[in-house]
Amino acid sequence: MTTRIAIVEDDLTLRLALGRGLREDGFDVVLSTASGGDLLAGLGDSAPEVFVVDIGLPDTDGRDLVLALRARGVRAPVLLLTARGDVTDRLSGFRAGADDYLPKPFHFEELVLRLRALVRRGHQPADPPDGLFLDLAAHEVGCDGKSAGLTPTEFRLLAALLARPGEVVRRQALIAAAWPAGGIVHDNTLDSYLLRLRRKLAALGRADAIVTVRGVGYRVG
Amino acid sequence: MTTRIAIVEDDLTLRLALGRGLREDGFDVVLSTASGGDLLAGLGDSAPEVFVVDIGLPDTDGRDLVLALRARGVRAPVLLLTARGDVTDRLSGFRAGADDYLPKPFHFEELVLRLRALVRRGHQPADPPDGLFLDLAAHEVGCDGKSAGLTPTEFRLLAALLARPGEVVRRQALIAAAWPAGGIVHDNTLDSYLLRLRRKLAALGRADAIVTVRGVGYRVG
DNA sequence: GGATCACCTGGACACAACCTGACCGCGTGC
DNA sequence: GCACGCGGTCAGGTTGTGTCCAGGTGATCC
């Protein structure tokens, strides 16, 4: 039984080596691109069951790519390749929705083991968050034709919400997803951003997309 | 003989270390997730015999997760990992239905000893509480298709009831489960919440789900 | 039947959680 | 310098939740 896998790695040598090695280990490499934009463009209905993404991409931060994937309803596990096991990288990547990470340089065998573990754990497909979608390249949110630009913080915040359609996301989880680790974020700051997001969504005719669940958090869909 | 165990820990390093260590000590790690939602989603029929849960999860309070597990009829013992042995945390964790706790940082050996003790003590599986179920992610109660949103206090209260289907739960036990430690709760306040819960359950066509046992307490199922 | 008790019900109220609009500081680009 | 966009803060208003009261209902016992 083969597992469909997608690779995003800008270094050509490494990308080719990964593809060859994974194929030999029984993976079905359905996509192999150098940039996040190419991945999103080429996804189609290839439905990879697991992703390997380099965090240090030239066109996109790997974390934003994970957020964009999650916002599209993709729940397949993502393994991030990070440079030198940097703790900050690891934490923020994890918060973005990645499922595992591997610091470079790594043993190929460990990569395969971790991938197998991720796939074994299993993930269920998510319902797509009706109509709304995030455009990573343009850094904006769209809904049937119309679209609205987002600032980086707004983007991360909305992505964290869209990643879990129908679920209540706690305020703490939103802060963890949208702001860098360690920093102190006023509760009210989150409120402000929710307001800004709601305004922009209202302009798309989706004023009610973000629902408040008092005492718990927020929900979309 | 191996014991099936599930781990919920958001810190990646610690999660991996726990998994590796427990495996070496003869446990069968059937589930290892970073969030409460993932755990509930991934449970399937893996039927862990014991749980290790970090109380400080970003998406869910560990205590709510225990309540949700109990409400699903899961009776397997739960060990909570708490930060710095905070007494308040410990007490409220116990009230939520946890069976043991361990303050961080801890010696790995102590964790294993406590887990073995918990498993040895033995627990029997519970009958699922007919039809009604708590959705931790959406923070609501559901019954064949329909669902109703719950406020935090309502959620804890109903969870305490659903945790013991068929059993009579005393008023004092309900107050202890649904309200923070130390606070003084008027008897009548509990009455009010029972009323609200019954209203919401009535909207789901389960008006008679909560039965009064005069002089003792309340029972569901 | 009447007294008593446990529980139910509707409503009033305070306060915390949340929303909203405005403001300020900082960095960037013109 | 100035304009602008972005991130963050503040003060004030609004609303839902939690709490408590007052009175009602039904069971139980004498």
Side-chain angles (χ1 to χ4, degrees):
Chain A
M1 194 212 75
T2 63
T3 302
R4 290 187 302 283
I5 189 169
I7 303 169
V8 188
E9 167 60 59
D10 60 308
D11 183 80
L12 182 62
T13 317
L14 183 51
R15 189 167 81 247
L16 292 176
L18 279 173
R20 198 174 332 113
L22 288 171
R23 239 181 294 267
E24 279 173 13
D25 264 287
F27 286 88
D28 178 12
V29 182
V30 290
L31 256 171
S32 172
T33 70
S35 75
D38 289 353
L39 174 77
L40 291 173
L43 256 185
D45 36 35
S46 56
E49 289 156 276
V50 59
F51 292 78
V52 178
V53 176
D54 190 335
I55 207 169
L57 299 171
D59 72 328
T60 321
D61 189 297
R63 284 160 289 204
D64 283 351
L65 179 56
V66 177
L67 287 170
L69 280 173
R70 296 291 182 237
R72 286 194 173 198
V74 174
R75 287 271 174 108
V78 176
L79 186 147
L80 283 179
L81 298 177
T82 75
R84 10 201 63 260
D86 182 321
V87 178
T88 325
D89 264 16
R90 176 165 66 79
L91 285 176
S92 54
F94 195 57
R95 271 204 311 281
D99 300 271
D100 201 356
Y101 86 105
L102 196 56
K104 292 198 274 192
F106 53 87
H107 287 289
F108 188 76
E109 209 168 318
E110 185 178 4
L111 175 65
V112 173
L113 283 176
R114 283 172 182 274
L115 286 174
R116 291 239 172 86
L118 282 177
V119 174
R120 206 181 315 119
R121 217 187 286 164
H123 282 248
Q124 61 283 67
D127 352 328
D130 64 329
L132 287 177
F133 66 93
L134 285 180
D135 185 333
L136 177 63
H139 238 256
E140 60 186 24
V141 58
C143 182
D144 45 59
K146 290 173 287 187
S147 68
L150 297 174
T151 72
T153 307
E154 287 167 357
F155 185 88
R156 289 193 299 272
L157 189 55
L158 184 54
L161 279 166
L162 286 174
R164 302 175 172 269
E167 280 182 45
V168 179
V169 187
R170 304 196 169 236
R171 294 183 132 248
Q172 261 323 105
L174 287 175
I175 289 175
W179 278 271
I184 297 150
V185 182
H186 263 248
D187 246 30
N188 215 340
T189 302
L190 179 61
D191 294 343
S192 283
Y193 275 90
L194 261 314
L195 176 65
R196 291 173 191 179
L197 271 182
R198 280 172 166 156
R199 286 247 175 81
K200 293 191 174 177
L201 291 175
L204 304 180
R206 299 296 304 273
D208 55 347
I210 301 178
V211 182
T212 303
V213 182
R214 208 155 223 275
V216 189
Y218 299 85
R219 179 167 49 84
V220 293
Chain B
M1 193 213 75
T2 63
T3 303
R4 290 187 302 282
I5 189 168
I7 303 169
V8 189
E9 166 61 58
D10 62 309
D11 182 81
L12 182 62
T13 316
L14 184 51
R15 186 167 85 249
L16 292 176
L18 280 173
R20 200 174 328 115
L22 288 171
R23 239 183 292 268
E24 280 173 11
D25 264 286
F27 286 88
D28 178 12
V29 182
V30 291
L31 256 171
S32 171
T33 71
S35 75
D38 288 353
L39 175 77
L40 293 172
L43 257 185
D45 37 35
S46 56
E49 289 156 275
V50 59
F51 292 78
V52 177
V53 176
D54 191 334
I55 207 167
L57 300 171
D59 74 326
T60 319
D61 188 298
R63 286 159 289 206
D64 283 352
L65 179 56
V66 177
L67 287 170
L69 279 173
R70 296 292 182 236
R72 285 194 173 199
V74 174
R75 288 274 174 104
V78 176
L79 185 147
L80 283 179
L81 299 177
T82 74
R84 0 204 69 258
D86 183 321
V87 179
T88 327
D89 265 15
R90 180 163 62 83
L91 285 176
S92 53
F94 272 133
R95 270 206 310 283
D99 301 271
D100 199 358
Y101 86 105
L102 194 57
K104 291 197 274 193
F106 54 86
H107 285 290
F108 188 76
E109 212 166 315
E110 185 179 2
L111 175 65
V112 173
L113 284 176
R114 283 173 181 274
L115 286 174
R116 291 242 171 85
L118 282 177
V119 174
R120 211 178 312 119
R121 224 185 279 165
H123 282 250
Q124 60 281 66
D127 358 325
D130 65 327
L132 286 178
F133 67 91
L134 283 182
D135 186 335
L136 178 63
H139 227 260
E140 60 189 22
V141 58
C143 183
D144 46 59
K146 288 173 288 187
S147 66
L150 298 173
T151 72
T153 308
E154 287 168 356
F155 186 89
R156 290 193 299 271
L157 187 56
L158 184 55
L161 280 165
L162 287 174
R164 304 175 175 273
E167 280 180 48
V168 179
V169 187
R170 299 186 174 262
R171 292 174 70 90
Q172 258 326 105
L174 287 176
I175 289 176
W179 277 270
I184 298 149
V185 181
H186 260 248
D187 244 30
N188 214 341
T189 302
L190 179 61
D191 294 342
S192 285
Y193 275 91
L194 262 313
L195 177 65
R196 289 179 192 182
L197 272 182
R198 280 172 166 156
R199 287 247 174 81
K200 292 192 173 177
L201 291 175
L204 304 180
R206 298 295 304 272
D208 55 346
I210 300 178
V211 182
T212 304
V213 182
R214 215 183 153 74
V216 188
Y218 299 85
R219 178 170 51 83
V220 292

